[in-house]
Amino acid sequence: DRVKLRDIGVTAIAESVTILYSKFRTFDNSLIVVPNSVLDKMVIENTDVVGDRFCNFFDIAISGQSDLLLAMETVRDIAERHPLCLDQRTEEELAEGKPKVPVRLVDIDGNALKLRASIWTESPALGYTALCEIRRDVKLAFDRAGIQLPRQYVVVSQEPVEDSSKM
């Protein structure tokens, strides 16, 4: 089963459980061995049991000077058109006209407006593929629309250095 070890922020496949320890294989093929005495105190989420769909978060930041509503609409339109994106709306949400892919402003950080879209797919692997393709298409659409990604600004100042030979 695929599990999420919430206390340590790891998602992995449970490989084996013995009397003393349990082994988990991460998606980058690392092996995590956790003593059962530690595991007994952890919150473990079995993500294989939650259903046949997976919610992926698409996070992107735009500059504070960019058109927020246009950026949100662009992300939503691209995500909703993606063939791997599933529609999780209820009949009530459909009747209310709620979007297939909600896009929210989740943070304002300096010069960055951080957006998050919730995109449903059939599996984490298909989610990865969808997010990569959506990320590419969003970047190209942002370039065409003049929506800027935030830039880091660094201010460098230098104090005059005294000439030690004049002392």
Side-chain angles (χ1 to χ4, degrees):
D1 283 359
R2 184 179 61 238
V3 296
K4 187 180 292 185
L5 306 171
R6 289 188 165 197
D7 296 20
I8 58 174
V10 171
T11 300
I13 303 297
E15 280 196 350
S16 66
V17 178
T18 68
I19 293 173
L20 298 176
Y21 57 86
S22 298
K23 291 182 179 180
F24 302 90
R25 181 74 59 185
T26 65
F27 296 110
D28 63 356
N29 208 31
S30 295
L31 182 65
I32 297 175
V33 179
V34 181
N36 288 341
S37 60
V38 173
L39 199 60
D40 187 45
K41 296 172 182 70
M42 295 175 87
V43 175
I44 302 169
E45 178 184 349
N46 187 333
T47 57
D48 276 346
V49 181
V50 295
D52 60 348
R53 294 174 182 216
F54 186 79
C55 185
N56 307 271
F57 292 129
F58 175 80
D59 294 321
I60 192 163
I62 61 171
S63 74
Q65 293 75 38
S66 292
D67 185 332
L68 173 63
L69 297 179
L70 178 60
M72 293 173 76
E73 180 182 328
T74 301
V75 170
R76 179 179 300 110
D77 288 346
I78 290 170
E80 287 182 349
R81 284 194 318 265
H82 196 280
L84 296 176
C85 178
L86 303 176
D87 194 343
Q88 284 292 106
R89 294 176 291 178
T90 64
E91 293 296 326
E92 183 179 303
E93 291 170 329
L94 285 167
E96 292 172 3
K98 293 207 174 174
K100 177 179 171 182
V101 176
V103 179
R104 295 180 174 90
L105 175 62
V106 294
D107 196 10
I108 300 173
D109 182 18
N111 188 38
L113 304 175
K114 296 182 180 181
L115 307 179
R116 172 172 284 176
S118 301
I119 301 167
W120 288 87
T121 58
E122 290 180 2
S123 70
L126 291 175
Y128 176 79
T129 299
L131 291 180
C132 289
E133 293 171 357
I134 291 168
R135 193 172 290 114
R136 176 201 60 217
D137 294 346
V138 165
K139 170 65 172 114
L140 295 172
F142 278 8
D143 287 349
R144 287 190 300 272
I147 298 170
Q148 296 290 311
L149 302 180
R151 291 187 171 86
Q152 294 274 351
Y153 292 97
V154 177
V155 177
V156 178
S157 65
Q158 183 176 1
E159 295 185 20
V161 178
E162 289 186 30
D163 187 357
S164 61
S165 64
K166 293 182 181 181
M167 294 186 170

